[in-house]
C-alpha cells in the first residue's frame, strides 16, 4: 500500500481475504522484491524471537551487522549471560510433538498407572527405567504421559529431552545438562552465572538440581528419552546414581539391548509386545485413513504374522499399516501381504518400503537421486535442508524433490526437524546403509566428502551460517582430518557461531582433537584476530570486529584464562566506544563482560565501577524498567553479595525481580507466557462450572490472553461471559463489571466497532466515577481511553471535558509539578489546536514546558517536543520571529539526542501524548486489564 492506499484491485482482494485470518500479519512495503522479502524475513524473525521464544529485541540491536553471521542480535537476552540456542530448543519442541503424534493409545493405560505411582511414591527413589526393543513405543508412551501430566498436574514442572540419533547435537551430554539447568533456572526466575566448562557443568548439575528444586513449590519430573544414545552416557550421567532431591523424580528410557549394566538394578517398566487388538487397531487406523478395507482372512493373516518380538512392536506395525494403505487402492493387497510376511524385523520391512518407492520412480536418474539424498542425509551431523540438496545436486528439480520427500516422509523414512531432513528412526538409516553402502566406511567417506566440499565452498564465499558451523568441523572430526579442522576453527566466524549458540563443549573437543592446549588455542585466536583487524575498514566492519573480540574474551573467561581474557574484551570496548559512541548500549555490553572477568579475578573495585557505568548507559538507552537494566542490577547484587554487603545486594535483587516480572507479563516471554498459557488451559475447564467472582475473574484473564494472541473472536466470547457472570454475582454497578466493560470496549476499538466501544467505555466510566476515588488509576485509565476514542471519532467537544479531567486526576495523584501532569496538559493543548482554539492551547503548552524543564533540565527530548509544538503555534498566530527561535532550540535538543545514542534518534523519551504516539497508547498490552491479584 502506498500512502495508506491500495495499489490495485488484486491487492485489495488479498487484503480482504487475509483480514479474516486471526494470526495473519501484513507488511506495507513499496519497493523491490528483495527488499520486501528482507522485510518479511525480519518480521518473521522478530515474531519467533519475541512471541514464541520470548527473547528481548530492541531497535538499537536488532539489525544484522554484515554477512558473516545469521544474526547479530544478542543471544543472552533470556538468561542474562548464559548463551541459549533457540534452534536446539525448537528441535526439542518438535521432537516432543512428533513423538506424541500417534492417535492410537496402544494399551498404554497400564503403563500410565505405573508412571503415576512413581510420581506419588515417597522419596528417596532412584530413576525409573522404561525399557523396550527398538520401535516398541517408548518415546510415544513418554510423550503421551507428559501431555496427561501437564493437563492434570499444573504445579508439576516437567523437563524433557528427546535424544535423537547418536552423534547428533541432541545427544551431547554437556548441551543436555546445560539445557536442563537453564530450564530449571527459568522456572525459578533465577538468573545466576553458569559455567560453560563441560566437566564442571556435569559436576555441578546435582548442586543446581538441589538448589533450584528447593525453590519450586511442586514436584519436578525430569524425562530423558533414549538416554543410552548419549555419548558415554554412564560417565556423563553420574548424577543419576546420587540420591535425588525429595521433590524430584527421574524417568529415562533405554533400548533393552544397550542399557548400561549399572542401571539395570533400577526399578524398570518394560514395554511388552503389542496385544493383538492393538495391532488390529493400528493397522485399521492406517487403512481407514486411505479408505482401504481388509477381508477377515487378510486380518487373520496379519494377526498371525505380528506375534514375534520383532514383528509386534509399534513401529513395525505402523509401517506395515502404511504399506498396506499405500498399496491398497492401486495394487494387489494379498501380494503385498505375502511380501510383508517375509520381513521378520523393522529393518527388512523398511527395505520393502524403499524398494516400492524405487519401483514407483520413472527413470534410473531419479533412482540415483533417491540414493544420493538418503546417503547424504545419513552421513551428515544433524540433517540436510531441501535448499542444500538442490545446491548439492543441480540436476534435482523441485518437482522431483517434492515427490521423493513426500513418499519418504509418508512412509516414516524421513522427517523434518527445524527445517532439516533427517531419518525418522534409527532402523531406517540402518537399512539405507545395508542397501546403499556396500563399500562400508569408504562409501560413508565419499558422501561426507561431498558435504565437506559444499560447506567449504560456502566458507570461501564468506558465508558462515549456523549450518556450516554445525556441519564442517564435525565432518573434519569424523574424517580425522586434523589439518583442515584446525584451519576451519581459525575461521573466527565459525568459532564465534558455535560459541554464541552455547556449543562450548563441542568447540573444546575439536581443539583437543587438534592437540592444542587452552593457552596455545587462545594465542592462535588472538593472532588471527590481529590479522583480521588489519583488513577491517569502515564502521560496519569495525563493529563486527568488536563482536569477535568480545566472543574471544568471553570464551577465554569461560575457560578460566582470566589474564588472557582481559585484552580482547578491552579491545572490544575501545572499538565500540570509537565506532559507535561512549553511551551506546553495545558499550554497556563490553563493560558488563569486562566486569565479569574482574569479579572472577576478585578485583571487586574495578568490577563495581564497570557495572555501574553499564547500568547508567542501559537506563539511559532503554529506560529504567528494561530487562537489560535488570541484568546489570543482578550483576551488581551478586558482586555485593561476594563482598558481604547483603543489604545492598537484596535491594538490587528486589528491584531486578520486579522488572523481570513486569517484562514477563508484558512480553509473554518463556517464563511468563508459557506458564500463563498452560494455566489458562486448566482454568478453561474449571470455569465451565458455577458462577463465582473467582471464575469471572478467570474468564476475564482468559479473554485478555486470547486478545494478546490476536484471537479476537475467542477473546470476545470470554470477556462477554466474564461480564455476564460478574453482573449476576456482583451486580451491574460493581467495579469489576467496569473492568470487563473496559476490556470489551478495548476489543471493539481494536475491531474498529467504535460505536460499541464508546457505549461500553461510557458505562465503565459511569461505574468508576461512582465507585472509585477521584484520583484512582482505574478511573484515569478509562478517562484516557474514552477521550482518545472521542478524538478518533471526531467528537472533539465530548473529548475536551475528559482531557480536562485527566489533568485534574494527575494533579491530585502526583502534585501540580509532576511530568505526567505536563503530558496531560500537552494532550489537552493538542486537542484545542485541532479545534482551532490556539488561545486556550498556549498557556497549557507554556505550563507543560516549565514542568518539563524543572523536572528534566533544558536539553531533555520532552522539552524539545514541547518547544516544537509551541513553535508551530507561534507560527500559526503570525509570530514568526518567536517561532524561529523556539524551533531552533527544539532542533538543538534533537541533535544532542541523536548524538547521545549513536546517531539513531528515537521517540522513547517523548511523552508529548497524542501528538506523536497514539499507536503505543492503543497497544494490546496497554488496553486490557488483568485485574488485581
Amino acid at each position: 500500500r502506498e500512502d495508506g492506499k491500495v495499489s490495485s484491485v488484486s491487492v485489495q482482494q488479498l487484503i480482504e481475504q487475509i483480514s479474516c485470518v486471526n494470526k495473519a500479519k501484513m507488511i506495507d512495503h513499496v519497493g523491490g522484491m528483495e527488499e520486501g522479502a528482507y522485510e518479511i524475513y525480519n518480521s518473521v524473525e522478530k515474531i519467533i524471537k519475541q512471541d514464541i521464544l520470548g527473547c528481548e529485541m530492541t531497535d538499537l540491536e536488532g539489525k544484522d551487522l554484515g554477512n558473516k553471521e545469521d544474526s547479530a542480535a544478542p543471544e543472552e537476552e533470556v538468561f542474562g549471560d548464559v548463551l541459549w540456542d533457540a534452534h536446539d530448543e525448537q528441535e526439542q519442541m518438535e521432537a516432543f510433538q512428533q513423538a506424541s503424534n500417534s492417535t492410537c493409545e496402544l494399551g498404554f493405560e497400564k503403563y500410565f498407572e505405573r508412571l503415576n505411582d512413581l510420581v506419588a511414591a515417597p522419596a528417596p527413589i532412584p530413576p525409573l527405567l522404561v525399557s523396550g526393543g527398538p520401535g516398541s513405543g517408548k518415546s510415544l508412551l513418554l510423550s503421551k504421559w507428559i501431555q496427561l501430566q501437564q493437563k492434570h498436574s499444573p504445579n508439576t514442572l516437567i523437563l524433557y529431552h528427546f535424544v535423537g540419533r547418536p552423534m547428533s547435537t541432541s545427544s551431547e551430554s554437556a548441551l543436555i545438562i546445560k539445557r536442563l539447568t537453564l530450564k530449571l533456572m527459568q522456572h525459578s526466575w533465577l538468573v545466576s552465572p553458569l559455567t560453560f566448562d563441560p566437566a564442571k557443568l556435569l559436576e555441578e548439575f546435582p548442586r543446581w538440581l538441589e538448589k533450584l528444586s528447593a525453590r519450586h513449590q511442586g514436584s519436578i519430573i525430569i524425562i530423558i528419552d533414549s538416554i543410552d544414545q548419549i555419548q558415554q552416557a554412564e560417565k556423563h550421567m553420574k548424577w543419576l546414581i546420587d540420591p535425588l532431591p525429595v521433590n524430584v523424580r527421574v524417568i529415562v528410557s533405554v533400548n533393552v539391548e544397550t542399557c548400561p549394566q549399572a542401571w539395570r538394578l533400577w526399578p524398570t517398566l518394560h514395554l511388552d509386545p503389542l496385544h493383538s487388538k492393538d495391532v488390529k487397531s493400528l493397522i485399521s487406523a492406517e487403512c481407514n485413513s486411505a479408505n482401504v478395507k481388509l477381508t477377515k482372512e487378510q486380518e487373520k493373516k496379519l494377526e498371525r504374522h505380528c506375534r514375534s518380538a520383532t514383528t509386534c512392536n509399534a513401529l513395525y506395525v505402523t509401517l506395515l499399516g502404511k504399506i498396506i494403505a499405500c498399496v491398497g487402492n492401486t495394487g494387489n493387497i494379498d501380494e503385498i501381504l505375502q511380501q510383508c510376511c517375509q520381513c521378520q524385523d523393522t529393518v527388512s520391512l523398511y527395505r520393502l518400503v524403499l524398494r516400492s518407492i524405487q519401483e514407483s520412480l520413472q527413470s534410473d536418474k531419479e533412482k540415483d537421486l533417491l540414493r544420493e539424498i538418503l546417503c547424504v542425509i545419513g552421513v551428515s551431523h544433524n540433517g540436510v535442508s531441501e535448499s542444500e540438496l538442490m545446491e548439492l545436486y543441480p540436476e534435482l528439480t523441485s518437482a522431483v524433490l517434492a515427490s521423493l520427500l513426500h513418499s519418504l516422509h509418508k512412509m516414516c523414512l524421513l522427517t523434518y526437524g527445524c527445517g532439516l531432513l533427517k531419518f525418522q528412526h534409527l532402523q531406517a538409516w540402518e537399512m539405507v546403509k545395508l542397501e546403499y553402502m556396500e563399500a562400508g566406511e569408504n562409501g560413508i567417506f565419499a558422501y561426507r566428502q561431498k558435504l565437506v566440499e559444499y560447506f567449504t565452498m560456502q566458507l570461501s564465499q564468506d558465508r558462515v551460517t549456523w549450518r556450516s558451523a554445525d556441519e564442517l568441523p564435525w565432518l573434519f572430526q569424523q574424517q580425522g582430518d586434523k589439518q583442515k579442522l584446525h584451519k576451519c576453527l581459525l575461521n573466527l566466524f565459525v568459532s564465534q557461531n558455535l560459541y554464541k549458540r552455547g556449543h562450548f563443549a563441542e568447540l573444546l573437543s575439536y581443539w583437543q582433537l587438534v592437540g592444542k592446549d587452552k593457552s596455545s588455542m587462545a594465542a592462535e585466536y588472538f593472532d588471527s584476530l590481529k590479522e583480521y583487524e588489519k583488513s577491517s575498514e569502515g564502521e560496519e566492519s569495525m563493529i563486527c570486529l568488536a563482536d569477535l573480540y568480545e566472543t574471544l574474551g568471553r570464551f577465554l573467561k569461560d575457560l578460566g584464562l582470566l589474564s588472557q581474557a582481559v585484552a580482547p574484551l578491552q579491545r572490544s570496548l575501545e572499538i565500540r566506544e570509537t565506532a559507535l559512541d561512549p553511551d551506546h548500549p553495545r558499550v554497556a555490553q563490553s563493560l558488563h563482560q569486562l566486569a565479569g572477568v574482574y569479579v572472577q579475578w576478585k578485583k571487586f573495585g574495578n568490577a563495581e565501577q564497570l557495572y555501574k557505568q553499564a547500568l547508567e548507559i542501559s537506563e539511559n538507552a532503554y529506560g529504567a524498567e528494561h530487562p537489560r537494566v535488570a541484568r546489570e542490577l543482578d550483576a551488581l547484587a551478586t558482586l555485593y553479595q561476594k563482598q558481604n554487603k547483603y543489604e545492598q545486594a537484596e535491594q538490587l535483587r528486589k528491584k531486578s525481580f520486579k522488572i523481570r516480572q513486569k517484562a514477563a507479563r508484558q512480553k509473554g516471554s518463556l517464563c511468563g507466557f508459557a506458564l500463563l498459557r498452560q494455566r489458562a488451559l486448566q482454568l478453561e475447564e474449571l470455569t465451565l462450572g458455577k458462577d463465582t467472582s473467582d471464575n469471572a475473574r478467570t474468564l476475564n484473564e482468559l479473554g485478555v490472553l486470547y486478545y494478546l494472541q490476536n484471537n479476537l473472536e475467542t477473546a470476545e466470547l470470554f470477556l462477554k461471559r466474564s461480564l455476564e457472570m460478574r453482573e449476576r454475582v456482583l451486580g451491574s454497578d460493581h467495579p469489576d463489571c467496569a473492568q470487563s466493560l473496559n476490556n470489551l470496549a478495548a476489543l471493539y476499538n481494536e475491531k474498529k466497532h467504535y460505536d460499541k466501544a464508546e457505549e461500553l467505555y461510557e458505562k465503565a466510566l459511569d461505574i468508576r466515577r461512582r465507585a472509585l476515588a477521584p484520583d484512582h488509576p482505574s478511573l484515569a485509565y478509562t478517562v484516557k481511553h474514552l477521550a482518545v476514542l472521542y478524538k478518533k471519532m471526531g467528537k472533539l467537544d465530548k473529548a475536551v471535558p475528559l482531557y480536562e479531567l485527566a489533568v485534574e486526576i494527575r494533579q491530585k495523584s502526583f502534585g501540580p509539578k509532576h511530568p505526567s501532569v505536563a503530558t496531560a496538559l500537552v494532550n489537552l493543548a493538542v486537542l484545542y489546536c485541532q479545534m482551532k482554539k490556539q488561545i486556550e492551547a498556549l498557556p497549557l503548552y507554556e505550563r507543560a514546558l516549565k514542568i518539563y524543564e524543572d523536572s528534566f533540565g533544558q536539553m531533555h527530548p520532552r522539552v524539545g517536543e514541547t518547544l516544537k509544538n509551541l513553535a508551530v503555534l507561534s507560527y500559526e498566530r503570525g509570530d514568526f520571529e518567536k517561532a524561529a527561535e523556539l524551533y531552533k532550540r527544539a532542533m538543538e535538543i534533537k541533535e544532542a539526542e541523536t548524538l547521545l545514542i549513536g546517531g539513531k534518534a528515537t521517540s522513547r523519551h517523548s511523552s508529548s501524548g497524542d501528538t506523536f504516539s497514539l499507536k503505543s497508547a492503543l497497544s494490546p498490552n496497554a488496553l486490557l486489564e488483568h485485574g488485581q491479584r
Side-chain angles (χ1 to χ4, degrees), residues 165 373-381 384 423 429 448 474:
R165 210 177 68 184
I373 288 169
L374 290 172
C375 290
V376 88
I377 289 170
V379 301
S380 66
H381 186 198
V384 181
F423 283 98
W429 170 227
R448 281 196 178 136
W474 183 85

Side-chain angles (χ1 to χ4, degrees), residues 649-898:
E650 188 57 26
Q651 283 175 345
L652 294 176
R653 285 216 192 284
K654 281 179 180 172
K655 200 172 170 185
S656 160
F657 186 73
K658 279 182 182 172
I659 294 170
R660 290 187 189 282
Q661 258 189 327
K662 189 172 180 183
R665 278 198 295 269
Q666 287 175 341
K667 296 286 307 154
S669 75
L670 278 169
C671 315
F673 189 68
L675 294 175
L676 181 59
R677 188 173 180 178
Q678 184 183 328
R679 183 167 163 270
L681 293 172
Q682 291 133 16
L683 292 172
E684 197 167 334
E685 294 175 3
L686 298 175
T687 53
L688 298 173
K690 58 184 179 178
D691 287 3
T692 67
S693 58
D694 277 351
N695 278 355
R697 188 192 66 213
T698 301
L699 286 166
N700 180 66
E701 285 184 354
L702 285 165
V704 172
L705 184 64
Y706 282 116
Y707 182 99
L708 293 173
Q709 291 176 287
N710 204 26
N711 188 343
L712 300 184
E713 302 310 316
T714 310
E716 184 179 354
L717 185 75
F718 278 109
L719 291 172
K720 276 182 172 176
R721 279 174 63 194
S722 169
L723 175 61
E724 288 161 7
M725 195 179 288
R726 279 174 165 170
E727 285 176 339
R728 284 196 299 271
V729 174
L730 304 167
S732 57
D733 289 340
H734 195 278
D736 283 3
C737 293
Q739 186 195 50
S740 291
L741 288 163
N742 202 90
N743 288 345
L744 262 175
L747 183 132
Y748 288 132
N749 189 12
E750 179 79 4
K751 292 170 84 172
K752 298 186 171 53
H753 297 171
Y754 298 131
D755 290 338
K756 280 185 180 179
E758 179 186 5
E759 183 189 343
L760 295 173
Y761 272 138
E762 284 174 348
K763 278 187 187 176
L765 180 60
D766 182 50
I767 295 169
R768 284 180 166 172
R769 264 183 160 156
R770 283 184 280 116
L772 304 175
D775 58 348
H776 195 283
S778 293
L779 177 61
Y781 188 89
T782 306
V783 165
K784 173 185 163 187
H785 287 295
L786 182 54
V788 170
L789 181 65
Y790 281 149
K791 193 173 158 199
K792 194 193 290 187
M793 295 169 77
K795 298 182 177 182
L796 304 186
D797 290 331
K798 289 182 90 169
V800 169
L802 291 179
Y803 275 106
E804 287 171 343
L805 182 57
V807 175
E808 264 179 60
I809 291 171
R810 291 192 186 189
Q811 284 183 157
K812 282 176 186 167
S813 300
F814 306 111
K817 293 182 179 178
H818 194 275
S820 73
V821 173
T823 303
L825 289 165
V826 168
N827 287 342
L828 183 55
V830 170
L831 185 64
Y832 279 138
C833 286
Q834 279 185 283
M835 298 170 78
K836 304 287 185 262
K837 293 183 177 180
Q838 278 83 357
I839 296 166
E840 284 91 335
L842 183 61
L844 298 172
Y845 274 134
E846 286 172 341
R847 189 180 154 203
L849 180 64
K850 177 83 171 69
I851 296 171
Y852 281 146
E853 285 177 335
D854 291 346
S855 301
F856 300 124
Q858 301 277 334
M859 296 300 288
H860 195 276
R862 295 189 190 180
V863 175
E865 298 287 10
T866 312
L867 284 167
K868 197 158 68 175
N869 288 342
L870 271 168
V872 172
L873 198 58
S874 301
Y875 184 85
E876 286 173 352
R877 297 178 68 204
D879 192 344
F880 302 125
E881 196 175 324
K882 189 176 180 184
E885 181 196 330
L886 290 165
Y887 193 73
K888 186 184 174 196
R889 268 191 69 197
M891 286 303 99
E892 283 168 3
I893 294 169
K894 190 76 174 171
E895 282 164 22
E897 185 196 5
T898 305

Side-chain angles (χ1 to χ4, degrees), residues 490-493 496 522-536 544-553 556 567-569 571-572 575:
L490 286 175
N491 181 315
L492 300 163
F493 294 99
Q496 183 188 44
E524 286 193 34
Y525 270 138
F526 206 66
D527 291 343
S528 294
L529 260 173
K530 287 285 179 197
E531 202 58 40
Y532 180 77
E533 188 168 351
K534 289 175 188 173
S535 62
S536 295
C544 198
L545 178 67
D547 283 353
L548 288 168
Y549 270 118
E550 187 195 285
T551 302
L552 176 59
L556 298 178
L569 288 172
R571 184 73 190 114
S572 169
I575 294 169

Side-chain angles (χ1 to χ4, degrees), residues 235-280:
K235 176 186 169 187
H236 292 143
M237 294 288 152
K238 277 185 192 163
W239 61 275
L240 289 168
I241 298 167
D242 299 333
L244 296 164
V246 289
N247 61 334
V248 175
R249 300 288 180 272
V250 175
I251 300 168
V252 296
S253 77
V254 292
N255 187 335
V256 71
E257 293 153 18
T258 52
C259 175
Q261 195 60 40
W263 297 359
R264 292 176 187 259
L265 302 171
W266 293 344
T268 303
L269 172 62
H270 186 74
L271 267 61
D272 300 324
L274 290 183
H275 192 275
S276 57
K277 69 176 175 55
D278 295 321
V279 170
K280 189 177 177 181

Side-chain angles (χ1 to χ4, degrees), residues 370-554:
L370 172 66
R371 182 186 66 236
E372 295 292 305
I373 288 169
L374 290 172
C375 290
V376 88
I377 289 170
V379 301
S380 66
H381 186 198
N382 287 314
V384 181
S385 74
E386 289 183 32
S387 57
E388 287 164 353
L389 286 173
M390 300 282 281
E391 288 177 357
L392 280 161
Y393 301 101
E395 70 274 25
L396 181 62
T397 64
S398 302
V400 169
L401 179 63
S403 173
L404 285 173
L405 294 183
H406 174 69
S407 301
L408 294 167
H409 186 263
K410 187 171 75 171
M411 299 308 292
C412 299
L413 271 154
L414 295 183
T415 186
Y416 288 89
C418 290
L420 298 178
L421 288 155
K422 46 188 80 175
F423 283 98
Q424 197 158 331
H425 298 280
L426 272 175
Q427 292 94 318
W429 170 227
E430 290 299 323
M431 177 275 296
V432 167
K433 280 195 287 189
L434 288 169
E435 190 74 2
Y436 287 138
M437 300 273 189
E438 303 91 347
E441 285 301 313
N442 290 340
I444 289 174
F445 183 90
Y447 283 108
R448 281 196 178 136
Q449 193 55 36
K450 191 168 184 72
L451 284 173
V452 164
E453 287 164 13
Y454 171 74
F455 287 115
T456 304
M457 183 185 71
Q458 282 196 350
L459 288 201
S460 67
Q461 298 168 345
D462 276 347
R463 280 170 65 200
V464 178
T465 62
W466 66 273
R467 287 290 297 132
S468 50
D470 263 4
E471 293 290 333
L472 199 51
W474 183 85
L475 289 163
F476 287 138
Q477 182 193 46
Q478 295 304 306
Q479 295 193 331
D481 195 332
K482 295 181 184 180
Q483 196 177 349
K484 284 184 180 171
L485 175 58
H486 188 201
K487 188 183 172 188
C488 180
L489 292 173
L490 286 175
N491 181 315
L492 300 163
F493 294 99
V494 170
S495 293
Q496 183 188 44
N497 195 299
L498 283 168
Y499 173 78
K500 289 187 92 171
R501 291 189 294 116
H503 292 220
F504 184 91
E506 193 180 333
L507 192 52
L508 215 52
S509 71
Y510 294 146
W511 277 105
Q512 284 165 354
L513 183 70
V514 171
K516 301 284 181 183
D517 64 14
K518 291 177 182 179
S519 294
S520 56
M521 174 184 72
E524 286 193 34
Y525 270 138
F526 206 66
D527 291 343
S528 294
L529 260 173
K530 287 285 179 197
E531 202 58 40
Y532 180 77
E533 188 168 351
K534 289 175 188 173
S535 62
S536 295
E537 290 175 7
E539 183 184 305
E540 212 170 83
S541 188
M542 292 305 286
I543 292 168
C544 198
L545 178 67
D547 283 353
L548 288 168
Y549 270 118
E550 187 195 285
T551 302
L552 176 59
R554 292 177 70 170

